[in-house]
Amino acid sequence: MLRRTHHRFFRKKLLHRITTQRRNFSEDVKESPKVVFSGIQPTGIPHLGNYLGAIKQWVDLQKEENEIYFSIVDLHALTIPHEEKICEKVLSMVATLLACGIDPKRSIVFKQSEIKEHVMLSWLLSCIVQQNTLKNMIQWKEKSKSTRNAANLGLFTYPVLQCADILLYKATHVPVGNDQTQHLELCQDIARKFNNRFGTFFPEPVTLIDENCTKILSLRDPFSKMSKSQGHELSRINLDDSDDQIWNKIKKAVTDNTSAVTYDPIRRPGVANLIQIHSSMTDLTVNEICSRSEEEGLDTGQYKMAVAEAVIDHIRPIRAEYEKLVGDREHLETVLSEGTTKAKETAQKNWNELRSMVGLT
Ligand code: AMP
Ligand code: TRP
């Protein structure tokens, strides 16, 4: 059980550290509101990597006057086998998003497979993108290597469907973790190609990445990322983990033989990962954490206690809210169907214009 420690100084209010890639959008979108789009697969309870890399940014983006779409991408989830029905996992993902602070009054939350225009646009875009480009996508290469070239066609065209998700809503900003950078580059490329060929329609969406949480690493193997599907149970902290489970996982996190708390992601990735997680859960910078740990004379073992405390304090209210919401099926279904109705309106309007632009009508 976690003991309360004197590391109170580690706790402060959250800071928003959203950064951008490719363009300084804070300057160029002041005049026009953003259309934000992101997606998450309904593949079980999100872990800390999903939360810090993506969901937390989504919550923060609601504080501005943006048009926001969050899609639970169940068609993407079909690319891998599932024991449980995917629609059940969709509902628990809705509960998780709401528990994390997604507000259905501010954001449109919907299920991808309810809107057939995603698939229509995906086909259209697949007639623009070259096969060779898809063959060179990192995630495809990894998947086909790990399945000895037996990966399914859905995995191959996965990024095209992702581009269709984004472009269907003419999204201008896409908040994701940095493992999605290449998919977003493809999306910018496809938007440009379409505009050149058929006339300007799509914005080239800006990728939003939280510079502090680009990649949360596995707690068991700090050379690979924290992942839902790979690695030991102890390698990830899930948003529904109990206080004791969180404490136990952080206590057992792989670090190294040096006892000082210093930030060196190359030589000390395990410790750096803990500092990164800690910094994201408080408003302390990496430097503040290191210098305060030094002042307190903490070794990495003692420091883990401070990290666990910060994570537990942050996750506890999310878990409590999730447990409350997940039993209320009716509410979750209402949120989804209201979101789907709103998203469908935009999707159909844009698709009708697109059909005419490419000569289908
Ligand atoms: P997925 O669970 O793969 O659908 O990912 C959902 C979102 O979480 C995406 O935006 C990913 O980039 C992000 N994400 C997944 N794993 C990590 C991680 N270990 N660190 C940071 N972001 C992550
Ligand atoms: N490919 C994303 C992932 O694995 C999920 C996703 C699907 C997505 N469509 C999207 C993310 C559109 C952002 C925008 O995490």
Side-chain angles (χ1 to χ4, degrees):
M1 183 62 190
L2 178 71
R3 268 189 300 116
R4 288 280 151 191
T5 65
H6 56 292
H7 309 307
R8 290 282 158 198
F9 62 80
F10 279 125
R11 205 162 318 142
K12 280 195 204 166
K13 283 181 74 193
L14 294 176
L15 228 204
H16 311 127
R17 284 165 295 202
I18 292 178
T19 170
T20 61
Q21 279 197 330
R22 324 243 154 263
R23 228 192 284 174
N24 185 352
F25 80 91
S26 57
E27 284 159 19
D28 60 51
V29 290
K30 259 185 199 128
E31 318 84 61
S32 52
K34 299 177 198 130
V35 179
V36 176
F37 186 100
S38 200
I40 191 161
Q41 294 192 51
T43 40
I45 299 292
H47 53 68
L48 213 54
N50 301 130
Y51 177 67
L52 296 177
I55 302 172
K56 193 161 150 288
Q57 271 202 88
W58 301 1
V59 174
D60 291 343
L61 281 160
Q62 296 182 125
K63 293 176 187 143
E64 302 163 19
E65 281 306 308
N66 299 320
E67 183 181 332
I68 308 177
Y69 298 87
F70 294 128
S71 180
I72 303 183
V73 291
D74 51 348
L75 294 174
H76 280 105
L78 280 178
T79 52
I80 50 167
H82 294 262
E83 278 163 24
E84 205 185 326
K85 272 188 161 184
I86 295 181
C87 59
E88 294 300 329
K89 293 185 178 176
V90 170
L91 282 189
S92 79
M93 183 56 80
V94 178
T96 313
L97 295 183
L98 301 187
C100 289
I102 298 296
D103 174 2
K105 292 198 193 77
R106 296 278 308 109
S107 303
I108 297 171
V109 180
F110 71 98
K111 181 157 99 167
Q112 181 193 35
S113 66
E114 292 289 334
I115 301 182
K116 60 180 185 303
E117 285 76 9
H118 286 248
V119 183
M120 304 290 272
L121 181 56
S122 178
W123 177 256
L124 198 163
L125 300 181
S126 73
C127 299
I128 293 175
V129 68
Q130 285 177 2
Q131 209 202 115
N132 256 345
T133 311
L134 296 183
K135 265 194 196 153
N136 287 324
M137 303 301 281
I138 300 164
Q139 289 200 358
W140 166 251
K141 281 192 191 161
E142 282 170 359
K143 298 256 163 70
S144 46
K145 197 169 152 203
S146 67
T147 56
R148 298 206 188 127
N149 293 331
N152 63 55
L153 187 58
L155 281 168
F156 185 65
T157 54
Y158 180 111
V160 184
L161 179 58
Q162 178 165 353
C163 295
D165 295 341
I166 297 165
L167 296 178
L168 187 57
Y169 299 89
K170 297 173 112 177
T172 58
H173 292 81
V174 185
V176 279
N178 89 341
D179 59 343
Q180 296 300 310
T181 309
Q182 202 187 32
H183 290 167
L184 267 295
E185 280 168 4
L186 176 74
C187 188
Q188 290 154 352
D189 189 45
I190 291 186
R192 209 173 307 125
K193 283 203 171 106
F194 179 95
N195 291 345
N196 287 340
R197 196 185 304 176
F198 298 104
T200 306
F201 187 78
F202 297 125
E204 281 176 39
V206 176
T207 313
L208 295 179
I209 295 194
D210 186 335
E211 66 182 0
N212 291 296
C213 303
T214 52
K215 200 171 178 187
I216 301 299
L217 304 174
S218 155
L219 298 178
R220 300 303 296 166
D221 167 18
F223 293 96
S224 55
K225 70 168 192 171
M226 189 177 282
S227 153
K228 273 182 208 165
S229 50
Q230 282 155 19
H232 193 274
E233 254 310 297
L234 289 175
S235 69
R236 58 187 158 262
I237 293 174
N238 297 320
L239 292 184
D240 65 345
D241 278 350
S242 67
D243 292 359
D244 283 354
Q245 280 172 314
I246 297 172
W247 167 232
N248 193 34
K249 288 177 183 180
I250 292 181
K251 190 169 71 178
K252 294 199 171 128
V254 170
T255 49
D256 51 41
N257 295 328
T258 309
S259 71
V261 179
T262 57
Y263 186 73
D264 184 347
I266 306 290
R267 274 174 294 190
R268 307 192 66 200
V271 177
N273 191 40
L274 291 178
I275 296 174
Q276 199 77 81
I277 291 172
H278 188 186
S279 168
S280 314
M281 303 246 128
T282 57
D283 72 352
L284 290 164
T285 63
V286 164
N287 284 343
E288 279 171 329
I289 289 174
C290 294
S291 56
R292 288 177 189 201
S293 298
E294 195 183 344
E295 279 163 30
E296 291 275 322
L298 301 183
D299 61 25
T300 46
Q302 291 161 324
Y303 173 64
K304 281 178 175 176
M305 220 179 265
V307 181
E309 201 175 312
V311 175
I312 287 170
D313 283 353
H314 196 97
I315 285 187
R316 192 183 285 139
I318 295 178
R319 186 180 61 225
E321 191 60 16
Y322 171 78
E323 279 161 8
K324 202 170 84 192
L325 287 164
V326 81
D328 193 349
R329 251 187 115 89
E330 208 181 309
H331 174 60
L332 300 175
E333 275 165 2
T334 307
V335 167
L336 262 190
S337 73
E338 287 179 1
T340 303
T341 306
K342 288 185 205 153
K344 212 177 244 177
E345 208 177 295
T346 313
Q348 287 178 343
K349 177 177 165 289
N350 288 342
W351 174 246
N352 279 338
E353 283 183 47
L354 282 163
R355 280 205 304 173
S356 147
M357 286 179 87
V358 301
L360 290 174
T361 57

